[in-house]
Amino acid sequence: LKGWGQEAKQSADSMIAMYPNAANYYTMAGLFALQGNVAEVMLALNKAIDKGFRDFDALENDPVFYLVQGKDDFKNYIKK
């Protein structure tokens, strides 16, 4: 991560440390998505799901994930 991305990740890490909930892991996944990092997106989304995230329709249409929505790994993840 470079520049604002590193600062954003540090802020998200702090938020998750204080409030480890689905919304914060979803936010973290969005940060990784903006960088096109599918592997990290999947890890963060798995944690969000473990914490109760279930809105897969929103995930599929969220513009934050536009860089990864066309990638096979992401498409397969959504289909699960």
Side-chain angles (χ1 to χ4, degrees), residues 11-69:
S11 294
D13 284 340
S14 295
M15 185 62 78
I16 286 172
M18 293 186 318
Y19 306 103
N21 58 41
N24 290 333
Y25 281 110
Y26 184 90
T27 299
M28 180 72 81
L31 293 173
F32 290 126
L34 290 171
Q35 298 166 359
N37 189 336
V38 178
E40 291 294 333
V41 169
M42 300 301 127
L43 291 173
L45 287 177
N46 281 332
K47 290 177 183 177
I49 289 167
D50 289 346
K51 297 291 183 180
F53 177 81
R54 297 291 182 269
D55 193 356
F56 296 102
D57 288 333
L59 175 62
E60 195 169 14
N61 296 303
D62 189 334
V64 169
F65 293 92
Y66 76 96
L67 288 175
V68 297
Q69 284 170 336

